[in-house]
Every structure is written in C-alpha cells, then in structure tokens.
Amino acid sequence: MRLAEPAILGRLQCWIMAIAAALLFTGPAQADPADIAASSRSVVRIVLVAQENGKVYYIGHGSGFAVSPDKVVTNAHVVRPVQEDSTVLIGIIPSQGSKSFGGKLLAVSPRNDLALIQLQEGRLPPVAVYGAAVADGTDVVAIGYPGAVDRAQGLSLDQLIEPMAPVKTPGVVSGGRTSREFDTLLHTAPLAAGNSGGPLVDNCGRVVGVNSFGSLSDGNDAEFGFAVSNRELAGFLRAAKISYSNVATDCRSAADLSAEEAERNRLAMREQQEQRAASKAAEEARYQRELRKAELEIENSRENRIAIAALLLALAVLSGGAGGLLLDKGKRNPGIAACSGGAVLLLGAALIFLTRPSLADAEDIATERMEQGSKDKAETGKPLAGPLVCRIIPERSRITLSEVEPLEIDWNANGCVNKRTQYGRETNEWSRVFVPNSEDTVSINHFDPDLREFRTERFLLDIPTMQKAREIRARYRYDQCTGETEVLSELVDMQKALRAALPAQPNEILVYQCDLDKAGAEAAAE
C-alpha cells in the first residue's frame, strides 16, 4: 500500500484532533454481519508472482473485489509490476472455496489508481456499487488482506495462495477529499499494506470506495485511510464498458424493515377486522331489510288470498242458493250445475285460505335471497389471473444488490407462474424457493393475489450453506406446473426444509405492487 508523507504537526494538528474527538464521541454503529459476510464473498487476494528457472518468487499482494462474475477491481499501483515486467503473473485467491484462478490485466487507470482484471477461469459472486453520494459520518467497513495480519500469523507463500476469509475493519467516513486529482473518501477504518484495492462498504455491504492509501502516524496523530470514491469507480467501469450492479437507495436495516412490516401487518389486520365487523353489520342490516320486505310481501299475499277466498265463498253461497231455487222450480239440470259450481267455488275458497303463506316463512325467504346475493357477488368476482406488471415499492424494500426494474409475470389462479413454475399455497399467499446452480444465492418469491403483492427475499450464502440448499433442492423431482395434491404437498415439504437451512434474515427484500397489464386488463373486463 502506498503511504502519504508524514503529517506535519502545526496548523493541521487542531483539525485532526477535532475530527478524532468527534469520531470518539459519535462512534460507528455496527454493520449487519450478514451483509458484510455477503460482500466478503466477492473480495479476493491478488497475488503477484514471477517465475525464473523453475522457481516461483513472491512479488507482493493486494486486495480486490468482483464487480461481475469474471471481473475484479483493484488499485492500479497493486498491478504496476505486471505492466513493468511481462514475466509477473496475477493470481486471484477467492475468500472461500478451494480453487484459485489466474488473472489477466484488462484495464488500468493510473490517474485515479484503478485497475480491472479478467479472470481466466472460474466465477465469483459480484458485489453492488453504491450509486449516490456518501454522506459524512456514514458507517463503513474496509475488507481486504492486510499484510500485517499475514505476518502476525506467520503465513507462508503456499498459505497465501489458499482461499481464506478477508479481514474486516469498521470505521466512519470523515468526508470527501480530492487527492492526486481524483476524488477520495477520508475514513477511519484501519488499513495496512495489502488492503490496497479492497472495497470500502456501507452497512448494507455496497461498495462506496476502493481503499488506496493511508496516512502515516508517529504515534500522536489519528490514522486515516483514503479510498477512491464510488463516483470515480463508476466512471472507470463505464469507460471500460463493464456491466455492474449500481444501487442508489438508502441503506435500511433488516430489523427496522421487519418492525415496519410487522406494524403495517398489525394495522392491516385491524383494518380487516373493522371491515369484517362493518361487513357483518351491513349483512345484518341487509338481512333485516330482506326480512321486513318478505314479511310485507307475505302480509299482502295473505290479505289478497283471504279476500279472494271470501269472494269465492260468497260466490259459492250465491251459486248454491241459486241451485236450490232452480231445483225447487223443477229445473233439475240447471240446479245441479249451479250447486256443483257452488261446491267447486267453496272448495277453491277453502284451498286458497288454507294455503295462505305464514309469517314464519319470511325468515326462509330472506335467507334464500341473502344466499343468492352472495352467490351472484362471488360469480362476478373473478380470481386474479393473466399477465401482471409488478413495480417496486422502495419504502418497503431493502435493496442491497439488485438494480430493480418492473417485473412481469403471468399468473394463474392455481399458482402456476409463467406457464412453467409451480408455486406452493400457504394460507393467503403462494410461494416458491429458487436454488440456482450458477450463483450462490437463494431466493424466496411470495405472491398474494388478493393484495396483488409480490415479494422476493434473497439470501447471499457461503459455499457450504449453498451446497446444503442444493442437496435439499435435488430431492424435488417436478419442475412443471401441476395440480396433483401429492406433488404440491412434496413441494411444500421441500420449501420448509430449505427455509430451515437458511439464515433468519435475508440480505435483500424486494416488495412489488402488481397490476394487470393492458392485455390482461382488457381480458378481465370482457
């Protein structure tokens, strides 16, 4: 690591002491260990060696970090020997695993002390670069391979080229500085020779700078480190035409986000309870209206039937009387006809009177009408299905790695996504755990059709945990969509086993609000 000239006591002494005092009283907050561990997966030791007469000579080492699976950033001064001597070779030593890789110099920018190395084989988990200005007082962690630690451990050359975890040292940003015509961040995270090229990350594990050099101390001054700023790094990567993850959202702790979600769910549950109570009250009021309506209809029907029965009874009496008179006058056939008609009218009057509706029937009528209304309402409420466009909700998300773009999914009411991936049903939502073979990341996707909410939880894992997850995933045989109860039950069991193997908190939480796209909305309206 390059070192600045010794600090001159004098007019700068008060300034340095003031900063040191401020840092002493404020103190850096603790970063999330899971996020720092996730970023450490991307950090590598860069070893420079030369071969001569069949012997390998150690030239020096620095640190670096992956910005894409096959490209590593470091300091230009770390790889200067490679530019000066073609026999010097670059070795890339990951922080985990069992393999080391060769590297080839791809781009160098001496102006701002940055360099880019291409891996000749293998892949590394990339880290995200913070895309906004870094505020004074930001908590940071320097990650790398300080030579002082190697010497204290007495590591040999063979041990230096074996994968091992990097050293992590916390501090705070003391401010931005322009040094040697490029932007740097002044910070208090301890550095030593060997840290050069390693990342300076925030509490969410995103790169805010590339550690480059440190101040010297004679034992009386505070020590500071300088990191090439994330703005310089972004410009360097753009000039090299490198695609990388650029995240500009604020760093939020998983605990704070979980607390906010718990409060949000509590309020939502209370609102649902109030809505259910209001709905129940509305249903009861509707039932009472239907009951009163049915009672009025029955009363009208009873009155009408009684009136009709009375009329038929009167006609029956008149018909019977007329028949008797006719019989008395010897008009036998007309008399019999009139008497028969009277009997029919009497029977009709009796039937109409006896079959008049009872007021007790009003309850059955009201209940039947309520059930029919609920059935009609259910038939008009079609389940959500079709192409959806989901957009991120930043205030409810914890974005540490992903560049978030609108998400498009084709949802089926039976839990089939994009016509090929089956989700498992859990209470009101569906979920699926994804264990890829190409990266050390496990994702859990959740979808709630009622709320139209899609949520992704991402776990950035070390190699042993990832291997265990892949072993569990291998037990599940079906990838296509299915409605078979046995298969769906097996899917739920597999997901429970995977969740048990994961850390308690994800490194990234992405919450989306989904709506039917134009085609889906038109189809739903038909």
Side-chain angles (χ1 to χ4, degrees):
M1 171 180 288
R2 298 180 306 174
L3 297 175
E5 293 298 326
I8 301 175
L9 294 176
R11 62 187 182 89
L12 296 179
Q13 184 176 11
C14 294
W15 174 77
I16 294 175
M17 291 179 65
I19 293 178
L23 294 173
L24 178 63
F25 286 102
T26 57
Q30 292 294 320
D32 190 329
D35 290 326
I36 304 305
S39 296
S40 297
R41 305 177 314 157
S42 307
V43 179
V44 299
R45 186 197 295 269
I46 298 175
V47 176
L48 304 183
V49 297
Q51 288 184 335
E52 185 175 348
N53 299 325
K55 295 183 179 181
V56 177
Y57 297 91
Y58 171 76
I59 303 298
H61 87 270
S63 303
F65 56 95
V67 290
S68 71
D70 61 347
K71 292 179 178 62
V72 170
V73 167
T74 188
N75 284 148
H77 74 263
V78 170
V79 295
R80 184 177 298 124
V82 179
Q83 295 178 287
E84 297 173 348
D85 186 348
S86 61
T87 64
V88 177
L89 304 177
I90 301 175
I92 304 296
I93 320 300
S95 61
Q96 58 179 355
S98 58
K99 293 183 178 180
S100 300
F101 313 112
K104 180 181 179 181
L105 199 55
L106 194 63
V108 180
S109 177
R111 181 192 67 80
N112 50 15
D113 198 25
L114 293 174
L116 189 67
I117 299 173
Q118 171 75 52
L119 266 66
Q120 294 178 323
E121 60 176 328
R123 292 173 62 88
L124 295 169
V127 69
V129 177
Y130 183 54
V134 182
D136 291 356
T138 297
D139 301 323
V140 290
V141 176
I143 309 177
Y145 294 91
V149 175
D150 297 334
R151 290 192 296 274
Q153 292 182 282
L155 299 182
S156 64
L157 176 59
D158 290 340
Q159 291 172 312
L160 289 178
I161 59 175
E162 293 178 355
M164 68 175 62
V167 176
K168 311 166 193 71
T169 54
V172 294
V173 172
S174 302
R177 294 290 185 275
T178 299
S179 178
R180 292 176 175 81
E181 299 181 353
F182 63 92
D183 290 342
T184 62
L185 296 177
L186 179 67
H187 63 86
T188 63
L191 300 179
N195 274 113
S196 290
L200 186 70
V201 303
D202 64 8
N203 282 353
C204 284
R206 303 169 301 187
V207 177
V208 298
V210 184
N211 288 312
S212 179
F213 58 94
S215 65
L216 283 174
S217 172
D218 60 3
N220 296 317
D221 297 336
E223 294 184 359
F224 293 91
F226 291 85
V228 181
S229 71
N230 55 343
R231 188 176 72 87
E232 294 279 354
L233 174 60
F236 172 70
L237 293 176
R238 284 196 299 269
K241 299 182 179 179
I242 302 301
S243 177
Y244 67 99
S245 179
N246 185 3
V247 178
T249 55
D250 292 337
C251 179
R252 308 183 64 197
S253 73
D256 289 345
L257 190 63
S258 297
E260 289 179 8
E261 283 297 295
E263 177 64 14
R264 178 181 175 277
N265 291 336
R266 186 186 70 81
L267 294 176
M269 184 175 296
R270 187 175 71 179
E271 183 179 354
Q272 289 176 358
Q273 292 173 344
E274 293 173 351
Q275 289 177 347
R276 283 196 293 267
S279 177
K280 184 177 180 180
E283 287 292 296
E284 177 62 26
R286 180 184 164 213
Y287 174 77
Q288 292 299 329
R289 289 195 300 271
E290 292 291 347
L291 180 62
R292 181 55 182 160
K293 181 180 178 181
E295 289 174 343
L296 291 174
E297 291 174 353
I298 289 174
E299 288 176 357
N300 291 333
S301 178
R302 285 171 60 87
E303 291 175 358
N304 291 336
R305 282 175 172 266
I306 291 174
I308 293 173
L311 177 62
L312 292 178
L313 179 61
L315 293 175
V317 171
L318 292 175
S319 180
L325 291 175
L326 292 172
L327 289 174
D328 290 340
K329 293 180 178 180
K331 298 180 180 181
R332 183 172 180 275
N333 289 336
I336 292 175
C339 288
S340 298
V344 171
L345 290 171
L346 180 62
L347 180 60
L351 287 174
I352 290 174
F353 181 80
L354 293 175
T355 58
R356 69 191 187 282
S358 170
L359 288 176
D361 296 336
E363 293 183 359
D364 294 336
I365 295 172
T367 300
E368 182 179 353
R369 289 175 177 175
M370 291 288 292
E371 292 175 349
Q372 183 61 42
S374 300
K375 182 179 178 181
D376 294 340
K377 184 178 180 180
E379 289 178 352
T380 56
K382 298 180 181 178
L384 180 66
L388 302 173
V389 178
C390 306
R391 292 176 173 81
I392 195 72
I393 308 176
E395 61 273 17
R396 292 181 56 197
S397 301
R398 185 173 194 263
I399 307 171
T400 62
L401 184 64
S402 303
E403 289 189 82
V404 182
E405 299 291 340
L407 180 68
E408 296 182 1
I409 62 173
D410 190 349
W411 175 255
N412 179 281
N414 295 322
C416 180
V417 176
N418 297 332
K419 301 179 181 178
R420 64 176 181 273
T421 305
Q422 182 64 50
Y423 279 43
R425 183 68 180 266
E426 298 180 14
T427 314
N428 295 328
E429 69 173 19
W430 299 76
S431 68
R432 181 64 187 262
V433 182
F434 293 90
V435 185
N437 293 320
S438 58
E439 58 178 313
D440 294 339
T441 301
V442 170
S443 298
I444 304 179
N445 288 352
H446 308 262
F447 184 63
D448 188 328
D450 295 332
L451 298 178
R452 297 191 177 188
E453 183 176 295
F454 191 91
R455 187 173 77 258
T456 296
E457 299 171 351
R458 302 189 70 201
F459 298 81
L460 311 180
L461 305 176
D462 56 32
I463 290 177
T465 306
M466 196 69 208
Q467 288 176 340
K468 183 177 180 181
R470 290 191 177 112
E471 290 172 0
I472 296 173
R473 173 65 181 85
R475 302 173 194 166
Y476 185 69
R477 298 169 295 147
Y478 304 96
D479 289 322
Q480 70 276 13
C481 290
T482 179
E484 297 181 21
T485 303
E486 182 179 351
V487 177
L488 293 176
S489 177
E490 184 181 348
L491 171 61
V492 172
D493 291 342
M494 183 270 291
Q495 298 196 147
K496 288 180 179 178
L498 280 170
R499 288 176 177 173
L502 296 175
Q505 288 281 4
N507 298 95
E508 188 169 59
I509 302 173
L510 308 177
V511 182
Y512 300 82
Q513 184 65 46
C514 302
D515 294 293
L516 289 167
D517 68 2
K518 184 177 180 181
E522 291 176 351
E526 293 179 355

